[in-house]
């Protein structure tokens, strides 16, 4: 499939390219980037493109590198009533994502080469690039490290016990040393169980109103500070997942100023909403770590703006309608995110003037590619054609059905601004807006 994208605004955050022009994709590779002197200065497409080329009118659209999500749950194997790799990949494509990293907290856990080999084989046939993390500890139990060296040889992209923290600091030290040796990321869920009252709802005004003990920000930032200290002398690719608290942002800012090697993620929902959403939408707004206060949200935005926080990651966490229809205190935590991420970011950060478009795109493309050492997140001649075309001004209503199997999002019925029109992965159109 050959594709010619005509008259788009082409943005490559890695090189600060921001031009009006055309892209020519042939045999899965970007073969031409043609800047227009003005909107009506058309290149001679017939001289450039082969006869069988699909021509896409990019007028009014932005062409950027395909988005990269370093934190998704496809629930496969074992929990496929929530999601599977096929529906998860479809949701990713619909959200503009051409690369997704899946977490290891499946059933069985991705803690051995047999489970990993099966997943990687099946994921290799998907329309988007799906990478697989393995777990840090056997069974996510925090007692014994997995055979990280063997798992990396079998294709593990990184390691994470996402969903539970690694509480044993000496075990974590061993894991950090091994990940440094293997040069792979280790991504940590930072909520100290000893400090948690009840997960998923911020401790404070809203948890009090719901008669819950709540999850204090202290549970997050104290564990983050511990792990930053451990990594100070090790220098592993430490990734702090789904940052939610202003104190954590300050700890990360200080750590980076001191030269500690650390990456961090923030979700579109933590950037867009506060704990008040739990009062409005109940269990649909229950996530770990919880949505917090407006002061926390503003600190997250500031951290993303100044580079303290590196990556926007969805933490796409599908659950069944039956599970999420339970009361807040018993429903599982998590919400879907792949198909709403761009709209939430453009509506709540770009349209409000709080973040530039280039910074948002950088955190969706170049920064996550850097964490995993991927040859992706770029628009360049000779590079693989992973491209998303989106309309930054197009308004749409979040539906109650998705490409994902799940619909556990509190944003159903909301009007968002910013819509994915085409997703192109490895030179093939894998999604087009209906």
């Amino acid at each position: 499939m050959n594709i010619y994208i005509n008259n788009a605004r082409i943005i490559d955050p890695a090189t600060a390219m921001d031009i009006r022009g055309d892209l020519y994709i042939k045999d899965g590779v970007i073969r031409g980037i043609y800047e227009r002197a003005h909107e009506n200065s058309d290149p001679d497409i017939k001289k450039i493109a082969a006869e069988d080329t699909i021509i896409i009118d990019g007028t009014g659209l932005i062409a950027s590198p395909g988005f990269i999500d370093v934190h998704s749950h496809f629930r496969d194997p074992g929990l496929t009533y929530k999601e599977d790799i096929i529906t998860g990949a479809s949701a990713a494509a619909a959200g503009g994502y051409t690369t997704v990293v899946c977490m290891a907290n499946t059933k069985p856990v991705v803690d051995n080469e047999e489970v990993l080999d099966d997943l990687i084989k099946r994921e290799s046939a998907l329309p988007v690039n799906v990478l697989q993390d393995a777990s840090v500890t056997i069974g996510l139990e925090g007692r014994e490290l997995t055979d990280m060296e063997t798992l990396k040889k079998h294709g593990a992209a990184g390691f994470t016990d996402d969903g539970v923290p690694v509480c044993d600091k000496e075990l974590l030290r061993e894991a950090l040393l091994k990940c440094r040796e293997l040069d792979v990321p280790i991504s940590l869920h930072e909520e100290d169980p000893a400090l948690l009252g009840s997960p998923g709802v911020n401790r404070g005004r809203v948890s009090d109103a719901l008669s819950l003990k709540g999850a204090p920000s202290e549970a997050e930032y104290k564990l983050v500070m511990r792990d930053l200290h451990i990594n100070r002398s090790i220098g592993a690719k430490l990734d702090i997942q789904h940052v939610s608290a202003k104190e954590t942002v300050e700890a990360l800012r200080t750590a980076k100023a001191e030269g500690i090697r650390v990456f961090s993620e923030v979700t579109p929902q933590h950037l867009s909403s506060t704990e008040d959403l739990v009062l409005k939408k109940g269990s649909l707004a229950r996530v770990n770590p919880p949505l917090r206060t407006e002061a926390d949200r503003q600190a997250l935005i500031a951290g993303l703006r100044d580079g303290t926080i590196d990556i926007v990651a969805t933490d796409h966490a599908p659950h069944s309608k039956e599970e999420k229809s339970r009361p807040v205190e018993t429903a599982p935590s998590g919400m879907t995110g792949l198909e709403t991420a761009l709209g939430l970011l453009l509506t709540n950060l770009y349209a409000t003037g709080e973040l530039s478009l280039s910074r948002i795109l950088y955190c969706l493309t170049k920064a996550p590619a850097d964490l995993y050492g991927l040859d992706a997140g770029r628009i360049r001649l000779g590079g693989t054609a992973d491209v998303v075309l989106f309309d930054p001004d197009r308004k749409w209503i979040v539906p109650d059905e998705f490409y994902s199997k799940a619909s556990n999002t509190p944003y159903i019925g909301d009007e968002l601004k910013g819509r994915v029109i085409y997703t192109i992965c490895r030179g093939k159109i894998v999604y087009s807006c209906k």
Side-chain angles (χ1 to χ4, degrees):
M1 179 185 293
N2 301 322
I3 302 170
Y4 194 100
I5 300 169
N6 188 34
N7 192 37
R9 179 183 172 188
I10 305 169
I11 299 178
D12 176 32
T15 59
M17 178 173 65
D18 188 343
I19 63 171
R20 169 74 57 185
D22 300 3
L23 286 176
Y24 180 45
I25 296 166
K26 183 178 181 181
D27 300 327
V29 174
I30 297 173
R31 300 294 186 186
I33 302 173
Y34 307 102
E35 185 171 7
R36 291 168 174 250
H38 51 82
E39 190 167 346
N40 295 321
S41 59
D42 294 337
D44 191 339
I45 298 175
K46 290 183 178 179
K47 288 185 178 180
I48 297 170
E51 289 185 4
D52 58 350
T53 298
I54 296 171
I55 297 176
I56 295 175
D57 182 7
T59 304
L61 304 182
I62 291 171
S64 89
F67 305 149
I68 300 169
D69 187 32
V70 299
H71 191 160
S72 269
H73 300 269
F74 283 2
R75 307 301 193 195
D76 195 341
L79 298 165
T80 53
Y81 69 94
K82 302 173 189 264
E83 189 83 283
D84 58 51
I85 61 169
I86 295 173
T87 57
S90 295
Y97 288 89
T98 53
T99 301
V100 175
V101 181
C102 284
M103 300 295 97
N105 57 341
T106 51
K107 290 188 178 182
V109 175
V110 189
D111 61 3
N112 61 80
E113 56 265 38
E114 289 79 17
V115 176
L116 179 62
D117 288 347
D118 172 68
L119 271 172
I120 289 177
K121 181 179 179 180
R122 291 189 290 123
E123 288 165 348
S124 67
L126 295 171
V128 299
N129 305 300
V130 178
L131 308 179
Q132 185 64 55
D133 274 355
S135 63
V136 176
T137 68
I138 295 174
L140 306 178
E141 294 178 353
R143 297 174 185 172
E144 182 181 355
L145 293 183
T146 56
D147 184 348
M148 292 182 168
E149 189 166 351
T150 296
L151 287 166
K152 188 195 175 184
K153 287 179 180 177
H154 281 255
F159 295 90
T160 180
D161 274 7
D162 180 50
V164 292
V166 180
C167 292
D168 186 325
K169 65 180 182 181
E170 292 307 316
L171 194 67
L172 178 63
R173 184 185 301 276
E174 290 180 40
L176 287 165
L177 286 166
K178 179 56 72 172
C179 286
R180 183 189 67 183
E181 176 188 330
L182 298 174
D183 191 26
V184 292
I186 179 169
S187 300
L188 300 181
H189 180 118
E190 303 283 45
E191 284 190 296
D192 188 341
L195 298 175
L196 282 178
S198 54
V201 179
N202 185 47
R203 179 176 292 178
R205 176 176 52 83
V206 172
S207 65
D208 289 347
L210 297 172
S211 299
L212 298 174
K213 293 181 180 179
S217 57
E218 181 184 18
E220 176 179 284
Y221 73 79
K222 283 203 168 181
L223 209 54
V224 169
M225 290 173 70
R226 182 203 73 170
D227 295 346
L228 289 170
H229 177 72
I230 294 172
N231 200 45
R232 179 188 297 273
S233 61
I234 295 175
K237 275 188 175 182
L238 171 60
D239 172 33
I240 305 299
Q241 296 179 303
H242 41 46
V243 174
S244 70
K246 62 182 183 294
E247 296 92 342
T248 304
V249 178
E250 286 304 319
L252 290 166
R253 187 174 284 117
T254 300
K256 285 196 167 186
E258 293 176 354
I260 297 174
R261 193 182 192 191
V262 61
F263 299 78
S264 58
E265 314 163 7
V266 64
T267 73
Q269 52 266 28
H270 285 94
L271 291 165
S272 298
S273 302
T274 68
E275 60 183 348
D276 291 331
L277 195 61
V278 178
L279 293 177
K280 296 177 183 177
K281 297 298 179 76
S283 62
L284 288 174
R286 180 182 176 178
V287 292
N288 294 340
L291 302 174
R292 300 198 190 273
T293 67
E294 179 62 15
D296 292 300
R297 190 181 81 89
Q298 289 298 326
L300 296 174
I301 295 170
L304 199 65
R305 184 188 302 119
D306 69 14
T308 297
I309 299 173
D310 308 275
I311 295 164
V312 174
T314 70
D315 193 11
H316 176 75
H319 294 294
S320 70
K321 289 183 180 180
E322 291 74 19
E323 290 169 323
K324 274 297 194 176
S325 65
R326 298 173 192 164
V328 173
E329 60 269 22
T330 59
S333 292
M335 66 177 73
T336 57
L338 287 166
E339 296 176 65
T340 55
L342 180 66
L344 288 174
L345 294 169
L346 296 190
T347 301
N348 297 307
L349 301 178
Y350 175 58
T352 60
E354 293 183 276
L355 280 177
S356 68
L357 183 59
S358 61
R359 181 61 186 161
I360 291 170
L361 293 178
Y362 186 93
C363 297
L364 289 169
T365 59
K366 178 64 164 56
D370 286 348
L371 173 62
Y372 275 86
L374 304 176
D375 184 18
R378 298 277 307 274
I379 289 181
R380 62 180 179 85
L381 286 174
T384 301
D386 291 348
V387 179
V388 58
L389 277 164
F390 65 92
D391 184 340
D393 299 315
R394 182 165 172 177
K395 295 179 180 179
W396 58 288
I397 304 296
V398 179
D400 58 5
E401 291 187 359
F402 299 87
Y403 284 85
S404 170
K405 282 185 181 180
S407 57
N408 55 297
T409 171
Y411 302 111
I412 290 172
D414 287 3
E415 182 180 81
L416 299 181
K417 189 176 183 181
R419 188 72 158 134
V420 173
I421 307 301
Y422 290 97
T423 303
I424 299 166
C425 186
R426 301 188 293 266
K428 295 182 179 179
I429 297 172
V430 295
Y431 170 79
S432 61
C433 186
K434 295 178 180 178

